[in-house]
PDB file of all heavy atoms in Angstrom:
ATOM      1  N   SER A  35     101.981  79.033 104.863  1.00  0.00           N
ATOM      2  CA  SER A  35     102.643  79.987 105.764  1.00  0.00           C
ATOM      3  C   SER A  35     102.818  79.437 107.170  1.00  0.00           C
ATOM      4  O   SER A  35     103.528  80.035 107.978  1.00  0.00           O
ATOM      5  CB  SER A  35     101.882  81.303 105.797  1.00  0.00           C
ATOM      6  OG  SER A  35     100.624  81.118 106.397  1.00  0.00           O
ATOM      7  N   SER A  36     102.204  78.308 107.479  1.00  0.00           N
ATOM      8  CA  SER A  36     102.363  77.739 108.811  1.00  0.00           C
ATOM      9  C   SER A  36     103.637  76.898 108.930  1.00  0.00           C
ATOM     10  O   SER A  36     103.995  76.466 110.007  1.00  0.00           O
ATOM     11  CB  SER A  36     101.140  76.900 109.182  1.00  0.00           C
ATOM     12  OG  SER A  36     101.041  75.776 108.348  1.00  0.00           O
ATOM     13  N   TYR A  37     104.333  76.689 107.811  1.00  0.00           N
ATOM     14  CA  TYR A  37     105.584  75.949 107.817  1.00  0.00           C
ATOM     15  C   TYR A  37     106.758  76.917 107.839  1.00  0.00           C
ATOM     16  O   TYR A  37     106.620  78.090 107.524  1.00  0.00           O
ATOM     17  CB  TYR A  37     105.689  75.054 106.572  1.00  0.00           C
ATOM     18  CG  TYR A  37     104.713  73.908 106.580  1.00  0.00           C
ATOM     19  CD1 TYR A  37     103.507  73.993 105.890  1.00  0.00           C
ATOM     20  CD2 TYR A  37     104.977  72.749 107.282  1.00  0.00           C
ATOM     21  CE1 TYR A  37     102.598  72.950 105.895  1.00  0.00           C
ATOM     22  CE2 TYR A  37     104.081  71.698 107.302  1.00  0.00           C
ATOM     23  CZ  TYR A  37     102.897  71.809 106.607  1.00  0.00           C
ATOM     24  OH  TYR A  37     102.003  70.774 106.617  1.00  0.00           O
ATOM     25  N   ASP A  38     107.923  76.384 108.186  1.00  0.00           N
ATOM     26  CA  ASP A  38     109.144  77.192 108.090  1.00  0.00           C
ATOM     27  C   ASP A  38     109.487  77.341 106.621  1.00  0.00           C
ATOM     28  O   ASP A  38     109.731  76.352 105.926  1.00  0.00           O
ATOM     29  CB  ASP A  38     110.294  76.523 108.837  1.00  0.00           C
ATOM     30  CG  ASP A  38     110.127  76.604 110.344  1.00  0.00           C
ATOM     31  OD1 ASP A  38     109.509  77.572 110.808  1.00  0.00           O
ATOM     32  OD2 ASP A  38     110.614  75.697 111.045  1.00  0.00           O
ATOM     33  N   ILE A  39     109.492  78.576 106.164  1.00  0.00           N
ATOM     34  CA  ILE A  39     109.674  78.859 104.747  1.00  0.00           C
ATOM     35  C   ILE A  39     111.032  79.524 104.569  1.00  0.00           C
ATOM     36  O   ILE A  39     111.408  80.404 105.361  1.00  0.00           O
ATOM     37  CB  ILE A  39     108.555  79.796 104.248  1.00  0.00           C
ATOM     38  CG1 ILE A  39     107.208  79.133 104.492  1.00  0.00           C
ATOM     39  CG2 ILE A  39     108.735  80.142 102.788  1.00  0.00           C
ATOM     40  CD1 ILE A  39     106.047  80.073 104.380  1.00  0.00           C
ATOM     41  N   PRO A  40     111.777  79.129 103.536  1.00  0.00           N
ATOM     42  CA  PRO A  40     113.050  79.810 103.269  1.00  0.00           C
ATOM     43  C   PRO A  40     112.824  81.313 103.073  1.00  0.00           C
ATOM     44  O   PRO A  40     111.806  81.742 102.518  1.00  0.00           O
ATOM     45  CB  PRO A  40     113.550  79.163 101.970  1.00  0.00           C
ATOM     46  CG  PRO A  40     112.842  77.863 101.893  1.00  0.00           C
ATOM     47  CD  PRO A  40     111.532  78.051 102.599  1.00  0.00           C
ATOM     48  N   SER A  41     113.754  82.101 103.547  1.00  0.00           N
ATOM     49  CA  SER A  41     113.591  83.552 103.551  1.00  0.00           C
ATOM     50  C   SER A  41     113.401  84.138 102.155  1.00  0.00           C
ATOM     51  O   SER A  41     112.749  85.170 101.998  1.00  0.00           O
ATOM     52  CB  SER A  41     114.777  84.220 104.238  1.00  0.00           C
ATOM     53  OG  SER A  41     115.974  83.887 103.564  1.00  0.00           O
ATOM     54  N   ASN A  42     113.936  83.485 101.121  1.00  0.00           N
ATOM     55  CA  ASN A  42     113.774  84.033  99.773  1.00  0.00           C
ATOM     56  C   ASN A  42     112.341  83.889  99.256  1.00  0.00           C
ATOM     57  O   ASN A  42     111.970  84.550  98.295  1.00  0.00           O
ATOM     58  CB  ASN A  42     114.772  83.414  98.797  1.00  0.00           C
ATOM     59  CG  ASN A  42     114.744  81.901  98.799  1.00  0.00           C
ATOM     60  OD1 ASN A  42     114.288  81.280  99.757  1.00  0.00           O
ATOM     61  ND2 ASN A  42     115.238  81.296  97.742  1.00  0.00           N
ATOM     62  N   TYR A  43     111.520  83.062  99.879  1.00  0.00           N
ATOM     63  CA  TYR A  43     110.127  82.901  99.466  1.00  0.00           C
ATOM     64  C   TYR A  43     109.161  83.736 100.316  1.00  0.00           C
ATOM     65  O   TYR A  43     108.003  83.920  99.943  1.00  0.00           O
ATOM     66  CB  TYR A  43     109.699  81.442  99.533  1.00  0.00           C
ATOM     67  CG  TYR A  43     110.379  80.574  98.505  1.00  0.00           C
ATOM     68  CD1 TYR A  43     111.298  79.605  98.899  1.00  0.00           C
ATOM     69  CD2 TYR A  43     110.114  80.728  97.154  1.00  0.00           C
ATOM     70  CE1 TYR A  43     111.929  78.810  97.953  1.00  0.00           C
ATOM     71  CE2 TYR A  43     110.742  79.935  96.205  1.00  0.00           C
ATOM     72  CZ  TYR A  43     111.651  78.983  96.615  1.00  0.00           C
ATOM     73  OH  TYR A  43     112.280  78.212  95.678  1.00  0.00           O
ATOM     74  N   ILE A  44     109.619  84.204 101.448  1.00  0.00           N
ATOM     75  CA  ILE A  44     108.738  84.953 102.354  1.00  0.00           C
ATOM     76  C   ILE A  44     108.204  86.212 101.676  1.00  0.00           C
ATOM     77  O   ILE A  44     107.022  86.530 101.784  1.00  0.00           O
ATOM     78  CB  ILE A  44     109.462  85.280 103.678  1.00  0.00           C
ATOM     79  CG1 ILE A  44     109.655  83.986 104.456  1.00  0.00           C
ATOM     80  CG2 ILE A  44     108.693  86.303 104.494  1.00  0.00           C
ATOM     81  CD1 ILE A  44     110.422  84.140 105.749  1.00  0.00           C
ATOM     82  N   TYR A  45     109.059  86.920 100.947  1.00  0.00           N
ATOM     83  CA  TYR A  45     108.616  88.137 100.263  1.00  0.00           C
ATOM     84  C   TYR A  45     107.506  87.819  99.256  1.00  0.00           C
ATOM     85  O   TYR A  45     106.507  88.530  99.185  1.00  0.00           O
ATOM     86  CB  TYR A  45     109.794  88.823  99.569  1.00  0.00           C
ATOM     87  CG  TYR A  45     109.371  90.029  98.765  1.00  0.00           C
ATOM     88  CD1 TYR A  45     109.036  91.214  99.402  1.00  0.00           C
ATOM     89  CD2 TYR A  45     109.272  89.974  97.380  1.00  0.00           C
ATOM     90  CE1 TYR A  45     108.615  92.320  98.686  1.00  0.00           C
ATOM     91  CE2 TYR A  45     108.859  91.075  96.645  1.00  0.00           C
ATOM     92  CZ  TYR A  45     108.536  92.241  97.299  1.00  0.00           C
ATOM     93  OH  TYR A  45     108.113  93.333  96.590  1.00  0.00           O
ATOM     94  N   LEU A  46     107.676  86.742  98.492  1.00  0.00           N
ATOM     95  CA  LEU A  46     106.650  86.359  97.515  1.00  0.00           C
ATOM     96  C   LEU A  46     105.329  86.036  98.202  1.00  0.00           C
ATOM     97  O   LEU A  46     104.257  86.411  97.714  1.00  0.00           O
ATOM     98  CB  LEU A  46     107.117  85.161  96.692  1.00  0.00           C
ATOM     99  CG  LEU A  46     108.266  85.416  95.721  1.00  0.00           C
ATOM    100  CD1 LEU A  46     108.743  84.105  95.116  1.00  0.00           C
ATOM    101  CD2 LEU A  46     107.829  86.381  94.644  1.00  0.00           C
ATOM    102  N   LEU A  47     105.403  85.354  99.329  1.00  0.00           N
ATOM    103  CA  LEU A  47     104.183  85.015 100.060  1.00  0.00           C
ATOM    104  C   LEU A  47     103.521  86.269 100.643  1.00  0.00           C
ATOM    105  O   LEU A  47     102.291  86.356 100.680  1.00  0.00           O
ATOM    106  CB  LEU A  47     104.481  84.007 101.162  1.00  0.00           C
ATOM    107  CG  LEU A  47     104.760  82.590 100.670  1.00  0.00           C
ATOM    108  CD1 LEU A  47     105.198  81.701 101.825  1.00  0.00           C
ATOM    109  CD2 LEU A  47     103.544  82.001  99.982  1.00  0.00           C
ATOM    110  N   GLU A  48     104.327  87.229 101.083  1.00  0.00           N
ATOM    111  CA  GLU A  48     103.749  88.473 101.589  1.00  0.00           C
ATOM    112  C   GLU A  48     103.034  89.232 100.468  1.00  0.00           C
ATOM    113  O   GLU A  48     101.951  89.782 100.682  1.00  0.00           O
ATOM    114  CB  GLU A  48     104.835  89.348 102.216  1.00  0.00           C
ATOM    115  CG  GLU A  48     105.303  88.835 103.560  1.00  0.00           C
ATOM    116  CD  GLU A  48     106.434  89.660 104.145  1.00  0.00           C
ATOM    117  OE1 GLU A  48     106.909  90.610 103.486  1.00  0.00           O
ATOM    118  OE2 GLU A  48     106.841  89.340 105.273  1.00  0.00           O
TER     119      GLU A  48
END
Side-chain angles (χ1 to χ4, degrees):
S35 67
S36 66
Y37 291 98
D38 288 331
I39 301 165
S41 59
N42 53 339
Y43 292 112
I44 290 177
Y45 176 75
L46 291 172
L47 287 174
E48 286 177 357

